Amino acid sequence: QHGQRVTELMKQKQYSPMSVAEMGVLLYAVDNKFLDDIEVSKIGSFEASLLSYLHAEQAPLVDKINESGDYNPEIEAAIRAALEKFKATQTW
């Protein structure tokens, strides 16, 4: 089932490539088991909601990752916190 979740996340819509930050957060989420409790059929909805949330509520983090391409303990902690908040407060 883990592989199915990864496959669903990697499906990019035509003419809508993901940014480095978007792909990084999604890969972090799947690699750190944030998607394990989500049905495979709802992965697309989860992804769309998460990306919308990131751009609306976590824009500085997204911009920082896209501008620098960095990945360090500070950015990892911010990604984890954003994912935890998203899962606790949002629906998909």
Side-chain angles (χ1 to χ4, degrees):
Q1 291 213 5
H2 180 76
Q4 290 175 320
R5 288 177 174 84
V6 173
T7 299
E8 287 300 312
L9 280 180
M10 295 300 104
K11 292 179 181 175
Q12 292 192 34
K13 299 188 180 33
Q14 190 172 14
Y15 309 115
S16 296
M18 287 187 205
S19 71
V20 170
E22 292 169 336
M23 188 63 77
V25 171
L26 291 172
L27 289 172
Y28 183 89
V30 75
D31 194 43
N32 288 278
K33 304 186 185 307
F34 282 94
L35 304 181
D36 284 1
D37 61 341
I38 298 170
E39 294 176 36
V40 173
S41 64
K42 295 188 179 198
I43 295 293
S45 178
F46 176 88
E47 176 185 345
S49 295
L50 175 58
L51 294 178
S52 177
Y53 168 80
L54 287 173
H55 289 285
E57 302 292 327
Q58 301 292 329
L61 174 61
V62 171
D63 292 343
K64 182 176 183 177
I65 296 169
N66 281 330
E67 289 170 11
S68 68
D70 285 348
Y71 181 79
N72 56 47
E74 176 189 336
I75 290 175
E76 180 183 2
I79 291 171
R80 178 172 287 282
L83 286 165
E84 288 171 350
K85 184 174 181 184
F86 172 77
K87 285 200 67 180
T89 62
Q90 305 297 310
T91 59
W92 51 89

mmCIF file of all heavy atoms in Angstrom, residues 59-88:
data_model
loop_
_atom_site.group_PDB
_atom_site.id
_atom_site.type_symbol
_atom_site.label_atom_id
_atom_site.label_comp_id
_atom_site.label_asym_id
_atom_site.label_seq_id
_atom_site.Cartn_x
_atom_site.Cartn_y
_atom_site.Cartn_z
ATOM 1 N N ALA A 59 3.058 29.927 2.964
ATOM 2 C CA ALA A 59 3.723 30.532 1.808
ATOM 3 C C ALA A 59 5.195 30.878 2.066
ATOM 4 O O ALA A 59 6.037 30.627 1.196
ATOM 5 C CB ALA A 59 2.953 31.748 1.320
ATOM 6 N N PRO A 60 5.541 31.420 3.227
ATOM 7 C CA PRO A 60 6.965 31.722 3.453
ATOM 8 C C PRO A 60 7.855 30.472 3.398
ATOM 9 O O PRO A 60 8.960 30.526 2.866
ATOM 10 C CB PRO A 60 6.989 32.352 4.850
ATOM 11 C CG PRO A 60 5.610 32.922 5.031
ATOM 12 C CD PRO A 60 4.702 31.945 4.320
ATOM 13 N N LEU A 61 7.365 29.364 3.922
ATOM 14 C CA LEU A 61 8.120 28.114 3.868
ATOM 15 C C LEU A 61 8.278 27.651 2.424
ATOM 16 O O LEU A 61 9.376 27.298 1.993
ATOM 17 C CB LEU A 61 7.436 27.035 4.705
ATOM 18 C CG LEU A 61 8.035 25.630 4.620
ATOM 19 C CD1 LEU A 61 9.477 25.618 5.113
ATOM 20 C CD2 LEU A 61 7.177 24.638 5.404
ATOM 21 N N VAL A 62 7.192 27.671 1.667
ATOM 22 C CA VAL A 62 7.228 27.258 0.257
ATOM 23 C C VAL A 62 8.204 28.142 -0.513
ATOM 24 O O VAL A 62 9.041 27.640 -1.274
ATOM 25 C CB VAL A 62 5.807 27.309 -0.360
ATOM 26 C CG1 VAL A 62 5.862 27.099 -1.862
ATOM 27 C CG2 VAL A 62 4.900 26.280 0.304
ATOM 28 N N ASP A 63 8.120 29.437 -0.304
ATOM 29 C CA ASP A 63 9.013 30.374 -0.997
ATOM 30 C C ASP A 63 10.473 30.122 -0.625
ATOM 31 O O ASP A 63 11.360 30.149 -1.490
ATOM 32 C CB ASP A 63 8.636 31.814 -0.677
ATOM 33 C CG ASP A 63 7.294 32.219 -1.271
ATOM 34 O OD1 ASP A 63 6.802 31.525 -2.192
ATOM 35 O OD2 ASP A 63 6.735 33.239 -0.804
ATOM 36 N N LYS A 64 10.723 29.889 0.653
ATOM 37 C CA LYS A 64 12.098 29.657 1.115
ATOM 38 C C LYS A 64 12.696 28.425 0.448
ATOM 39 O O LYS A 64 13.840 28.450 -0.010
ATOM 40 C CB LYS A 64 12.109 29.497 2.635
ATOM 41 C CG LYS A 64 13.479 29.308 3.233
ATOM 42 C CD LYS A 64 13.407 29.248 4.742
ATOM 43 C CE LYS A 64 14.781 29.132 5.356
ATOM 44 N NZ LYS A 64 14.728 29.147 6.818
ATOM 45 N N ILE A 65 11.926 27.355 0.387
ATOM 46 C CA ILE A 65 12.422 26.120 -0.236
ATOM 47 C C ILE A 65 12.639 26.338 -1.726
ATOM 48 O O ILE A 65 13.664 25.937 -2.283
ATOM 49 C CB ILE A 65 11.457 24.946 0.016
ATOM 50 C CG1 ILE A 65 11.391 24.625 1.517
ATOM 51 C CG2 ILE A 65 11.898 23.710 -0.776
ATOM 52 C CD1 ILE A 65 10.285 23.675 1.899
ATOM 53 N N ASN A 66 11.676 26.973 -2.392
ATOM 54 C CA ASN A 66 11.798 27.193 -3.834
ATOM 55 C C ASN A 66 12.969 28.107 -4.185
ATOM 56 O O ASN A 66 13.637 27.892 -5.193
ATOM 57 C CB ASN A 66 10.504 27.760 -4.414
ATOM 58 C CG ASN A 66 9.459 26.686 -4.613
ATOM 59 O OD1 ASN A 66 9.773 25.526 -4.867
ATOM 60 N ND2 ASN A 66 8.207 27.068 -4.495
ATOM 61 N N GLU A 67 13.212 29.111 -3.375
ATOM 62 C CA GLU A 67 14.287 30.062 -3.657
ATOM 63 C C GLU A 67 15.672 29.480 -3.408
ATOM 64 O O GLU A 67 16.588 29.681 -4.188
ATOM 65 C CB GLU A 67 14.110 31.327 -2.827
ATOM 66 C CG GLU A 67 12.943 32.178 -3.270
ATOM 67 C CD GLU A 67 12.618 33.310 -2.309
ATOM 68 O OE1 GLU A 67 13.421 33.581 -1.390
ATOM 69 O OE2 GLU A 67 11.544 33.913 -2.478
ATOM 70 N N SER A 68 15.797 28.740 -2.309
ATOM 71 C CA SER A 68 17.125 28.260 -1.919
ATOM 72 C C SER A 68 17.390 26.817 -2.335
ATOM 73 O O SER A 68 18.538 26.441 -2.544
ATOM 74 C CB SER A 68 17.298 28.372 -0.404
ATOM 75 O OG SER A 68 16.444 27.465 0.255
ATOM 76 N N GLY A 69 16.335 26.015 -2.399
ATOM 77 C CA GLY A 69 16.518 24.594 -2.668
ATOM 78 C C GLY A 69 17.111 23.857 -1.482
ATOM 79 O O GLY A 69 17.465 22.687 -1.581
ATOM 80 N N ASP A 70 17.215 24.558 -0.360
ATOM 81 C CA ASP A 70 17.824 23.969 0.837
ATOM 82 C C ASP A 70 16.921 22.934 1.489
ATOM 83 O O ASP A 70 15.694 22.982 1.385
ATOM 84 C CB ASP A 70 18.116 25.048 1.881
ATOM 85 C CG ASP A 70 19.308 25.891 1.523
ATOM 86 O OD1 ASP A 70 20.044 25.524 0.594
ATOM 87 O OD2 ASP A 70 19.502 26.940 2.172
ATOM 88 N N TYR A 71 17.576 22.017 2.185
ATOM 89 C CA TYR A 71 16.898 21.076 3.070
ATOM 90 C C TYR A 71 17.823 20.907 4.258
ATOM 91 O O TYR A 71 18.933 20.408 4.127
ATOM 92 C CB TYR A 71 16.636 19.740 2.376
ATOM 93 C CG TYR A 71 15.917 18.760 3.270
ATOM 94 C CD1 TYR A 71 14.545 18.867 3.461
ATOM 95 C CD2 TYR A 71 16.602 17.768 3.940
ATOM 96 C CE1 TYR A 71 13.873 17.989 4.294
ATOM 97 C CE2 TYR A 71 15.936 16.880 4.776
ATOM 98 C CZ TYR A 71 14.576 16.998 4.946
ATOM 99 O OH TYR A 71 13.915 16.131 5.786
ATOM 100 N N ASN A 72 17.376 21.383 5.405
ATOM 101 C CA ASN A 72 18.183 21.313 6.618
ATOM 102 C C ASN A 72 17.251 21.033 7.794
ATOM 103 O O ASN A 72 16.031 20.963 7.615
ATOM 104 C CB ASN A 72 18.982 22.612 6.794
ATOM 105 C CG ASN A 72 18.086 23.843 6.799
ATOM 106 O OD1 ASN A 72 17.059 23.870 7.477
ATOM 107 N ND2 ASN A 72 18.461 24.865 6.035
ATOM 108 N N PRO A 73 17.796 20.858 8.996
ATOM 109 C CA PRO A 73 16.940 20.551 10.145
ATOM 110 C C PRO A 73 15.843 21.590 10.401
ATOM 111 O O PRO A 73 14.732 21.233 10.797
ATOM 112 C CB PRO A 73 17.925 20.480 11.314
ATOM 113 C CG PRO A 73 19.207 20.047 10.680
ATOM 114 C CD PRO A 73 19.224 20.746 9.342
ATOM 115 N N GLU A 74 16.128 22.857 10.158
ATOM 116 C CA GLU A 74 15.121 23.898 10.360
ATOM 117 C C GLU A 74 13.955 23.737 9.372
ATOM 118 O O GLU A 74 12.787 23.818 9.754
ATOM 119 C CB GLU A 74 15.777 25.274 10.175
ATOM 120 C CG GLU A 74 14.803 26.431 10.270
ATOM 121 C CD GLU A 74 15.437 27.760 9.866
ATOM 122 O OE1 GLU A 74 16.671 27.895 9.953
ATOM 123 O OE2 GLU A 74 14.673 28.652 9.475
ATOM 124 N N ILE A 75 14.279 23.508 8.128
ATOM 125 C CA ILE A 75 13.236 23.331 7.111
ATOM 126 C C ILE A 75 12.474 22.032 7.365
ATOM 127 O O ILE A 75 11.249 21.988 7.250
ATOM 128 C CB ILE A 75 13.839 23.382 5.692
ATOM 129 C CG1 ILE A 75 14.279 24.820 5.390
ATOM 130 C CG2 ILE A 75 12.856 22.874 4.647
ATOM 131 C CD1 ILE A 75 15.003 25.008 4.089
ATOM 132 N N GLU A 76 13.188 20.972 7.735
ATOM 133 C CA GLU A 76 12.518 19.710 8.044
ATOM 134 C C GLU A 76 11.518 19.890 9.184
ATOM 135 O O GLU A 76 10.390 19.401 9.128
ATOM 136 C CB GLU A 76 13.532 18.624 8.407
ATOM 137 C CG GLU A 76 12.852 17.308 8.741
ATOM 138 C CD GLU A 76 13.805 16.215 9.171
ATOM 139 O OE1 GLU A 76 15.020 16.444 9.259
ATOM 140 O OE2 GLU A 76 13.312 15.109 9.433
ATOM 141 N N ALA A 77 11.910 20.605 10.229
ATOM 142 C CA ALA A 77 11.014 20.842 11.366
ATOM 143 C C ALA A 77 9.791 21.650 10.924
ATOM 144 O O ALA A 77 8.669 21.371 11.366
ATOM 145 C CB ALA A 77 11.755 21.567 12.481
ATOM 146 N N ALA A 78 9.993 22.626 10.045
ATOM 147 C CA ALA A 78 8.879 23.435 9.556
ATOM 148 C C ALA A 78 7.931 22.596 8.696
ATOM 149 O O ALA A 78 6.707 22.747 8.784
ATOM 150 C CB ALA A 78 9.407 24.631 8.767
ATOM 151 N N ILE A 79 8.485 21.711 7.876
ATOM 152 C CA ILE A 79 7.652 20.827 7.053
ATOM 153 C C ILE A 79 6.830 19.907 7.944
ATOM 154 O O ILE A 79 5.630 19.741 7.762
ATOM 155 C CB ILE A 79 8.511 20.014 6.062
ATOM 156 C CG1 ILE A 79 9.089 20.938 4.985
ATOM 157 C CG2 ILE A 79 7.687 18.890 5.420
ATOM 158 C CD1 ILE A 79 10.123 20.274 4.077
ATOM 159 N N ARG A 80 7.488 19.307 8.930
ATOM 160 C CA ARG A 80 6.787 18.401 9.854
ATOM 161 C C ARG A 80 5.667 19.141 10.589
ATOM 162 O O ARG A 80 4.547 18.653 10.688
ATOM 163 C CB ARG A 80 7.754 17.786 10.859
ATOM 164 C CG ARG A 80 7.062 16.867 11.886
ATOM 165 C CD ARG A 80 8.034 16.123 12.747
ATOM 166 N NE ARG A 80 8.712 15.065 12.038
ATOM 167 C CZ ARG A 80 8.180 13.876 11.766
ATOM 168 N NH1 ARG A 80 6.948 13.600 12.131
ATOM 169 N NH2 ARG A 80 8.864 12.973 11.125
ATOM 170 N N ALA A 81 5.956 20.327 11.086
ATOM 171 C CA ALA A 81 4.947 21.111 11.809
ATOM 172 C C ALA A 81 3.779 21.458 10.893
ATOM 173 O O ALA A 81 2.616 21.383 11.302
ATOM 174 C CB ALA A 81 5.576 22.377 12.388
ATOM 175 N N ALA A 82 4.077 21.843 9.648
ATOM 176 C CA ALA A 82 3.014 22.177 8.695
ATOM 177 C C ALA A 82 2.142 20.965 8.410
ATOM 178 O O ALA A 82 0.908 21.071 8.366
ATOM 179 C CB ALA A 82 3.620 22.722 7.407
ATOM 180 N N LEU A 83 2.758 19.806 8.222
ATOM 181 C CA LEU A 83 1.986 18.592 7.956
ATOM 182 C C LEU A 83 1.139 18.194 9.165
ATOM 183 O O LEU A 83 -0.017 17.783 9.012
ATOM 184 C CB LEU A 83 2.922 17.442 7.555
ATOM 185 C CG LEU A 83 3.505 17.542 6.152
ATOM 186 C CD1 LEU A 83 4.670 16.578 5.984
ATOM 187 C CD2 LEU A 83 2.424 17.279 5.111
ATOM 188 N N GLU A 84 1.705 18.298 10.347
ATOM 189 C CA GLU A 84 0.946 17.958 11.558
ATOM 190 C C GLU A 84 -0.249 18.892 11.725
ATOM 191 O O GLU A 84 -1.353 18.447 12.045
ATOM 192 C CB GLU A 84 1.857 18.002 12.780
ATOM 193 C CG GLU A 84 2.838 16.841 12.825
ATOM 194 C CD GLU A 84 3.903 16.960 13.894
ATOM 195 O OE1 GLU A 84 4.041 18.038 14.523
ATOM 196 O OE2 GLU A 84 4.642 15.966 14.092
ATOM 197 N N LYS A 85 -0.045 20.178 11.490
ATOM 198 C CA LYS A 85 -1.141 21.141 11.609
ATOM 199 C C LYS A 85 -2.196 20.879 10.541
ATOM 200 O O LYS A 85 -3.397 20.911 10.813
ATOM 201 C CB LYS A 85 -0.609 22.566 11.504
ATOM 202 C CG LYS A 85 -1.686 23.608 11.714
ATOM 203 C CD LYS A 85 -1.141 25.005 11.749
ATOM 204 C CE LYS A 85 -2.279 25.991 11.986
ATOM 205 N NZ LYS A 85 -1.815 27.372 11.947
ATOM 206 N N PHE A 86 -1.751 20.617 9.318
ATOM 207 C CA PHE A 86 -2.679 20.342 8.232
ATOM 208 C C PHE A 86 -3.561 19.133 8.585
ATOM 209 O O PHE A 86 -4.782 19.192 8.460
ATOM 210 C CB PHE A 86 -1.921 20.074 6.927
ATOM 211 C CG PHE A 86 -2.808 19.592 5.813
ATOM 212 C CD1 PHE A 86 -3.620 20.484 5.129
ATOM 213 C CD2 PHE A 86 -2.849 18.247 5.469
ATOM 214 C CE1 PHE A 86 -4.455 20.035 4.107
ATOM 215 C CE2 PHE A 86 -3.670 17.807 4.450
ATOM 216 C CZ PHE A 86 -4.484 18.706 3.775
ATOM 217 N N LYS A 87 -2.951 18.049 9.014
ATOM 218 C CA LYS A 87 -3.716 16.835 9.311
ATOM 219 C C LYS A 87 -4.661 17.042 10.491
ATOM 220 O O LYS A 87 -5.715 16.422 10.549
ATOM 221 C CB LYS A 87 -2.781 15.662 9.548
ATOM 222 C CG LYS A 87 -2.199 15.171 8.227
ATOM 223 C CD LYS A 87 -1.666 13.799 8.260
ATOM 224 C CE LYS A 87 -2.746 12.766 8.468
ATOM 225 N NZ LYS A 87 -2.236 11.404 8.498
ATOM 226 N N ALA A 88 -4.301 17.911 11.421
ATOM 227 C CA ALA A 88 -5.137 18.142 12.598
ATOM 228 C C ALA A 88 -6.295 19.104 12.332
ATOM 229 O O ALA A 88 -7.317 19.025 13.015
ATOM 230 C CB ALA A 88 -4.265 18.681 13.738
#
